[in-house]
């Protein structure tokens, strides 16, 4: 029962470097999400993909780009990392982008930008 | 604007004691309410959710939550805590964001420690 798989689990970057966080789900879900978790702030939505072929900005999209590669995969890219992007990143999926849908989360990527 | 407040950042209880985690929300319409749990090094897992109907909702792992519209609260309870319940707990409200998408608004979380 893999569910939602994220890679890598840990990453350290220098300011200005780029990287891509990978996410894949095996539940045939239509909707996928990227959140960031910061101490004392809960989770905030970065980008989401309601269905294959669509992506949209969430609450805190600046500095990020996403690609919905196919129904299974949704990647998050940092083009030029900044210390403010130090955070724990979670990918999630749901059957559909409806209010009240249960989200299934990956185990997270801890990113440090020096 | 929609918001979720979890007043307690840290709570410590003894194993076997009862537990109540507080959650208050601000939302203009009938909310969709959730409690998620995050164990160390893991992603979030849904404990329970409320949409309508009976205001006392049962979830997994022996947890329950009660929706009180008059108090804008959705507190999580467990009658007897186990050491394995040590985790961080997030209350969330589901809403339609202004951009038209489903959005979960999370509280800042309550970290629960359990003493043997």
């Amino acid at each position: 029962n893999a569910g939602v798989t994220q890679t890598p689990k840990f990453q350290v970057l220098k300011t200005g470097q780029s990287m891509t966080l990978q996410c894949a789900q095996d539940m045939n879900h239509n909707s996928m999400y990227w959140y960031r978790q910061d101490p004392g702030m809960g989770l905030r939505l970065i980008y989401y993909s309601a269905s294959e072929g669509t992506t949209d900005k969430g609450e805190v999209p600046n500095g990020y780009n996403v690609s919905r590669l196919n129904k299974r995969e949704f990647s998050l890219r940092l083009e030029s990392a900044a210390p403010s992007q130090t955070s724990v990143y979670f990918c999630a999926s749901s059957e559909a982008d409806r209010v009240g849908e249960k989200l299934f989360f990956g185990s997270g990527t801890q990113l440090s930008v020096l | 604007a929609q918001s979720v407040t979890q007043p307690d950042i840290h709570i410590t209880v003894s194993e076997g004691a009862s537990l109540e985690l507080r959650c208050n929300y601000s939302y203009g319409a009938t909310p969709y309410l959730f409690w998620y749990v995050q164990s160390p090094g893991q992603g979030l897992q849904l404990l329970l959710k409320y949409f309508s109907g009976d205001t006392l909702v049962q979830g997994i792992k022996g947890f329950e939550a009660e929706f009180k519209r008059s108090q804008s609260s959705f507190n999580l309870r467990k009658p007897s805590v186990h050491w394995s319940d040590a985790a961080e707990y997030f209350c969330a409200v589901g809403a339609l964001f202004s951009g038209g998408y489903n959005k979960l608004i999370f509280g800042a979380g309550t970290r629960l420690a359990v003493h043997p």
Side-chain angles (χ1 to χ4, degrees):
Chain A
N1 293 336
V4 179
T5 303
Q6 291 181 235
T7 56
K9 291 190 180 299
F10 301 95
Q11 185 71 49
V12 178
L13 294 177
K14 295 181 180 179
T15 297
Q17 288 185 317
S18 63
M19 77 161 296
T20 299
L21 280 64
Q22 306 287 350
C23 175
Q25 52 90 11
D26 63 0
M27 295 172 283
N28 201 36
H29 284 171
N30 290 300
S31 302
M32 298 185 73
Y33 310 83
W34 277 105
Y35 286 87
R36 60 177 288 173
Q37 182 183 29
D38 301 295
M41 300 187 72
L43 279 76
R44 293 178 292 169
L45 183 64
I46 305 170
Y47 269 92
Y48 74 106
S49 171
S51 60
E52 185 179 359
T54 69
T55 61
D56 284 285
K57 296 178 181 179
E59 190 178 1
V60 288
N62 291 345
Y64 306 95
N65 285 300
V66 291
S67 295
R68 184 75 182 266
L69 304 171
N70 47 56
K71 191 171 185 179
R72 291 186 64 250
E73 299 172 287
F74 188 40
S75 62
L76 178 72
R77 183 162 178 84
L78 287 71
E79 292 290 353
S80 178
S84 61
Q85 295 178 303
T86 294
S87 187
V88 181
Y89 292 85
F90 287 98
C91 178
S93 70
S94 65
E95 286 189 7
D97 184 40
R98 287 186 295 260
V99 176
E101 281 288 328
K102 175 181 178 180
L103 265 63
F104 294 79
F105 286 84
S107 58
T109 296
Q110 190 165 328
L111 176 66
S112 295
V113 183
L114 306 178
Chain B
Q2 304 96 336
S3 65
V4 177
T5 301
Q6 294 180 247
D8 304 305
I9 298 174
H10 295 280
I11 285 184
T12 300
V13 299
S14 298
E15 192 169 17
S18 63
L19 172 70
E20 182 169 27
L21 302 183
R22 297 183 291 164
C23 173
N24 294 96
Y25 67 90
S26 171
Y27 186 61
T30 301
Y32 294 79
L33 293 163
F34 305 80
W35 276 100
Y36 280 84
V37 60
Q38 183 181 26
S39 298
Q42 301 297 315
L44 279 70
Q45 180 185 21
L46 181 66
L47 279 177
L48 48 78
K49 59 184 178 182
Y50 169 80
F51 294 158
S52 63
D54 192 347
T55 56
L56 186 62
V57 181
Q58 302 297 320
I60 62 171
K61 304 184 181 186
F63 285 92
E64 66 179 25
E66 186 171 13
F67 171 60
K68 293 186 177 180
R69 184 187 301 276
S70 61
Q71 298 177 19
S72 297
S73 69
F74 188 57
N75 294 349
L76 182 71
R77 301 194 294 247
K78 187 170 185 178
S80 179
V81 171
H82 189 263
W83 65 267
S84 61
D85 293 324
E88 189 154 19
Y89 292 80
F90 292 92
C91 181
V93 60
L96 276 176
F97 192 54
S98 58
Y101 63 87
N102 169 37
K103 176 182 178 181
L104 271 185
I105 302 163
F106 286 88
T110 298
R111 186 171 296 278
L112 174 66
V114 180
H115 280 177

